[in-house]
Amino acid sequence: MRWTQTLIPTLREDPKDAEAVSHKLMIRAGYIRKLSSGVYSYLPLGNRVLQKVCAVIDEEMKAAGADSLLMPALHPAELWKKTGRYEALGQDKITFKNRTEQEFVLGPTHEEVVTELVGAYVKSYKDLPKIVFQIQTKFRDEIRPRFGIIRTKEFIMKDAYSFDKDEAGLDESYRKMSEAYHRIFQRCGLTFDVVNADPGMMGGKVSQEFMVKSRFGEDIVFQCPKCRYTASREIAARAKKKVETARGKGPAEAFDTPGLRTIEELTHRFKLKPEQLVKTILFIGDGRPIACLVQGDREVNESKVRRLCGASRLVPATAQEIEKYTGGPMGFTGPVGLTGVEIVADYDLDEMADFVTGANQKDRHLKNVNMGTDFKAGLTGDIRYAEEGDLCVNCGTILERCQAMEIGHVFKLGTRYTQAFDVNFIDAIGEKRIVIMGCYGIGVNRILAAHIDEHHDAKGIVWRKAIAPYHVLLITVNQSDAASVQVGETLYRELTDAGIEVLYDDRDERAGVKFNDGELIGIPLQIIVSERNLKEGKLEIVKRHDKSSEKIPQSELTTRLDKILNEIP
């Protein structure tokens, strides 16, 4: 492709609204353009990279035994209501009604659609296993789009779905997809971690995220530097600290706290430290009230509570429910004197003494409260989010906290969706059984952002060859020099005829502009045609990743180019 025939609008300065490195460089290098908040156009260079990434994904998914299909982006809302996810999506979903008043959801994911589809055709054990995948545009009404293409309202996903007759089959499908993900991300030049994660609204009991460390990521990961235990913040476990705590200030005592409902208000007014307080958060779990107790400067982890209590659904209690079960208003809840409420305490409380809690009365709190003396917990365990300074659950080493970006997620869904859609098969002995599912997603756009975050320098992007928009950038230093133009045109035809992906910078621009733009857009190999080198019958070859250069005879270019390209990562 000739530069003069395509659209590469490069910029000298960073856009004012860009924070992430990938966002700045993709705008400056002419890869993307913002249409509205969270919505981007991919210009020719950006689209070529997208297609390269999609080709890598397509190859590896098919090599792992999956086959491609394409499902609609418009989903009848009744499909989502059938699984209960219509309500769970809340305001993130984008819906509309057509002229006949039928409601549709713009698909943020495709579990409902693919389950209905496969369920229409799978009837016998002989029809299983099946793994299908698609690369499709998805939609969500992201409230705070940020960091360019990292967090958007319209995005591209690869999602695959496996359908098996038993757990052993699911394990095998999950293994195949996980191994395919390792190959995909390695080919795309990414350094990543596989992190145990919370399935969330997707359902199922097992999930793992593929994460790249990035200060622009929206996820938090905890990792042990010693044993390499790694988990997302949603499920990261922590070892119980052993701290000797003296008790003995006496029985619990009520004191007035007029209008003081929050930890911040109490600590400021009474000169307390947050760790001297215990907050009590009331939830409704499968219809029963559950009071969760954590140290004042910590946050309850609902997924940990669900697992500890064996609750399938957990929702925060309303103000009316709090008053019903505790006798006091919101902001003054505490464990002392609660009846008919299950008390679940974080095991940090085992080492706390003489702490402050709500008194279940308006404008009143209790001090000198102790667990075991003033109240008893029905369950004690790890129910809060991990924080810096916590210890590894495996080896006791202090966990390291880092920001990360999710690029892929794999789930063992089990039967959540197949039960909702009554997807069954007849097994080898004639009995009816439920189909078991797995789900495997990749954020295609995020691969581009993650790659640029990892591979860039002060001059611009440094693409790895596998997903670079072109492999070779051919530059004529002086487009006004007839000899340079003649050589440039000849090389362009020869390289193109040889199947080399080449971008020919044939612009009538100053050399400095061409060199700066070449480094900015990040193509792996530059071939530079200059008057001075042509007098010696040579061309200059520059490798973008290490900035090394050499001059080679023009006559040797075609015979040496394959070797040179093979030396580039």
Side-chain angles (χ1 to χ4, degrees):
M1 175 58 70
R2 296 174 183 272
W3 196 301
T4 55
Q5 292 178 345
T6 188
L7 180 62
I8 310 176
T10 58
L11 303 173
R12 298 276 74 82
E13 302 294 332
D14 290 336
K16 292 181 179 179
D17 63 341
E19 300 173 71
V21 171
S22 61
H23 189 192
K24 294 175 182 178
L25 290 177
M26 292 188 84
I27 293 288
R28 283 187 54 209
Y31 281 78
I32 59 173
R33 185 177 188 274
K34 180 179 175 180
L35 180 62
S36 67
S37 178
V39 182
Y40 286 84
S41 297
Y42 286 80
L43 279 61
L45 288 180
N47 188 49
R48 284 184 69 91
V49 179
L50 269 180
Q51 297 308 314
K52 292 285 189 73
V53 171
C54 289
V56 170
I57 292 171
D58 188 81
E59 289 173 15
E60 293 296 346
M61 294 304 295
K62 288 177 178 175
D67 204 2
S68 63
L69 47 67
L70 184 62
M71 292 177 281
L74 290 181
H75 304 173
E78 55 263 29
L79 288 182
W80 285 79
K81 292 176 181 178
K82 204 164 189 176
T83 59
R85 294 208 302 171
Y86 181 90
E87 293 77 16
L89 275 170
Q91 293 184 327
D92 282 349
K93 65 180 179 292
I94 300 174
T95 64
F96 69 94
K97 290 184 179 179
N98 67 5
R99 66 186 69 189
T100 64
E101 291 299 303
Q102 182 181 7
E103 187 178 16
F104 287 89
V105 176
L106 280 178
T109 183
H110 277 69
E111 285 71 40
E112 283 80 1
V113 175
V114 77
T115 306
E116 188 278 335
L117 185 155
V118 172
Y121 301 108
V122 169
K123 303 301 179 185
S124 164
Y125 73 97
K126 296 179 182 179
D127 299 325
L128 298 170
K130 288 284 187 295
I131 306 178
V132 294
F133 77 98
Q134 68 169 355
I135 298 175
Q136 168 70 293
T137 301
K138 306 297 179 76
F139 304 89
R140 66 179 171 214
D141 194 6
E142 176 62 61
I143 189 170
R144 287 183 296 273
R146 293 185 69 192
F147 306 138
I149 60 172
I150 293 176
R151 189 170 176 176
T152 56
K153 295 185 177 183
E154 178 180 313
F155 52 100
I156 300 171
M157 286 285 296
K158 186 287 303 178
D159 41 5
Y161 302 94
S162 63
F163 298 83
D164 288 280
K165 58 188 178 183
D166 53 30
E167 292 288 345
L170 173 59
D171 290 345
E172 178 63 11
S173 296
Y174 190 89
R175 180 191 63 79
K176 288 179 179 178
M177 292 297 99
S178 182
E179 290 177 356
Y181 275 35
H182 279 78
R183 294 191 296 270
I184 288 166
F185 298 135
Q186 286 164 357
R187 286 180 62 181
C188 290
L190 300 179
T191 302
F192 60 92
D193 291 302
V194 182
V195 176
N196 294 324
D198 179 15
M201 79 161 194
M202 291 291 290
K205 295 181 179 179
V206 176
S207 80
Q208 292 176 304
E209 292 172 323
F210 289 75
M211 294 280 202
V212 294
K213 292 177 182 175
S214 169
R215 65 190 182 96
F216 305 108
E218 55 192 0
D219 294 291
I220 302 297
V221 170
F222 285 89
Q223 189 171 63
C224 175
K226 183 177 180 181
C227 73
R228 308 309 293 174
Y229 167 81
T230 306
S232 69
R233 182 172 182 263
E234 281 66 33
I235 69 164
R238 53 189 232 286
K240 183 177 180 180
K241 292 182 179 178
K242 295 182 179 180
V243 180
E244 293 296 330
T245 305
R247 303 186 181 190
K249 287 191 176 180
E253 179 183 345
F255 65 105
D256 293 332
T257 55
L260 305 178
R261 298 172 181 267
T262 68
I263 298 295
E264 291 77 12
E265 291 169 341
L266 286 166
T267 54
H268 177 74
R269 171 66 177 80
F270 293 100
K271 310 303 179 187
L272 298 168
K273 295 179 181 179
E275 56 267 31
Q276 293 177 276
L277 284 76
V278 167
K279 56 187 174 186
T280 305
I281 310 297
L282 191 69
F283 293 92
I284 306 300
D286 295 340
R288 68 186 193 271
I290 302 173
C292 297
L293 279 58
V294 295
Q295 190 172 291
D297 57 347
R298 304 304 186 192
E299 297 296 328
V300 174
N301 183 316
E302 294 181 27
S303 64
K304 288 183 178 180
V305 175
R306 282 199 308 272
R307 288 193 295 272
L308 183 63
C309 296
S312 60
R313 180 174 169 80
L314 193 74
V315 295
T318 64
Q320 293 77 15
E321 288 169 331
I322 290 172
E323 193 146 6
K324 172 185 175 182
Y325 290 113
T326 72
M330 181 182 292
F332 298 95
T333 304
V336 179
L338 282 183
T339 58
V341 177
E342 183 177 358
I343 297 178
V344 180
D346 186 80
Y347 53 38
D348 285 349
L349 270 68
D350 285 337
E351 313 304 330
M352 293 181 66
D354 302 318
F355 48 81
V356 173
T357 72
N360 298 316
Q361 300 175 41
K362 184 178 180 180
D363 297 334
R364 301 270 280 176
H365 279 73
L366 296 174
K367 60 183 177 180
N368 302 331
V369 176
N370 290 283
M371 188 167 70
T373 302
D374 299 299
F375 70 92
K376 288 182 170 52
L379 288 171
T380 303
D382 176 12
I383 65 165
R384 70 165 172 83
Y385 285 102
E387 299 290 348
E388 285 186 283
D390 284 332
L391 306 180
C392 174
V393 69
N394 292 334
C395 68
T397 303
I398 295 177
L399 292 171
E400 294 179 347
R401 179 186 187 274
C402 69
Q403 281 183 266
M405 182 197 311
E406 178 190 333
I407 52 174
H409 206 152
V410 291
F411 302 82
K412 290 184 179 180
L413 295 178
T415 60
R416 173 181 179 179
Y417 299 92
T418 50
Q419 281 185 332
F421 286 91
D422 196 26
V423 179
N424 301 287
F425 69 98
I426 303 301
D427 67 14
I429 59 174
E431 293 185 355
K432 190 176 182 180
R433 294 172 57 189
I434 195 80
V435 173
I436 299 176
M437 281 182 67
C439 171
Y440 319 91
I442 288 178
V444 178
N445 315 69
R446 288 187 168 197
I447 290 179
L448 277 67
H451 187 284
I452 293 171
D453 277 347
E454 183 172 352
H455 303 292
H456 70 275
D457 60 20
K459 297 290 187 177
I461 302 167
V462 185
W463 289 112
R464 289 300 183 259
K465 187 172 56 180
I467 60 173
Y470 295 92
H471 290 163
V472 172
L473 175 62
L474 176 62
I475 300 174
T476 48
V477 173
N478 183 2
Q479 194 69 14
S480 299
D481 177 60
S484 296
V485 171
Q486 182 179 0
V487 171
E489 293 290 339
T490 300
L491 289 175
Y492 178 58
R493 287 194 302 271
E494 289 178 352
L495 294 172
T496 302
D497 291 344
I500 304 296
E501 298 179 21
V502 57
L503 175 64
Y504 177 23
D505 190 350
D506 59 344
R507 295 175 296 168
D508 187 12
E509 284 280 6
R510 292 179 290 108
V513 171
K514 290 190 171 188
F515 291 146
N516 286 336
D517 282 349
E519 291 184 306
L520 178 62
I521 66 175
I523 292 173
L525 186 70
Q526 296 180 8
I527 300 175
I528 301 170
V529 181
S530 68
E531 297 172 68
R532 183 175 59 186
N533 289 331
L534 285 181
K535 290 177 182 178
E536 302 174 7
K538 293 184 176 181
L539 303 168
E540 185 177 4
I541 306 294
V542 179
K543 296 174 182 175
R544 180 70 181 90
H545 74 285
D546 62 7
K547 298 183 180 179
S548 62
S549 66
E550 64 174 318
K551 294 179 181 179
I552 65 171
Q554 181 182 340
S555 59
E556 296 180 11
L557 177 65
T558 54
T559 57
R560 293 183 56 184
L561 190 56
D562 283 344
K563 182 178 182 299
I564 294 171
L565 285 172
N566 286 334
E567 294 170 350
I568 295 174

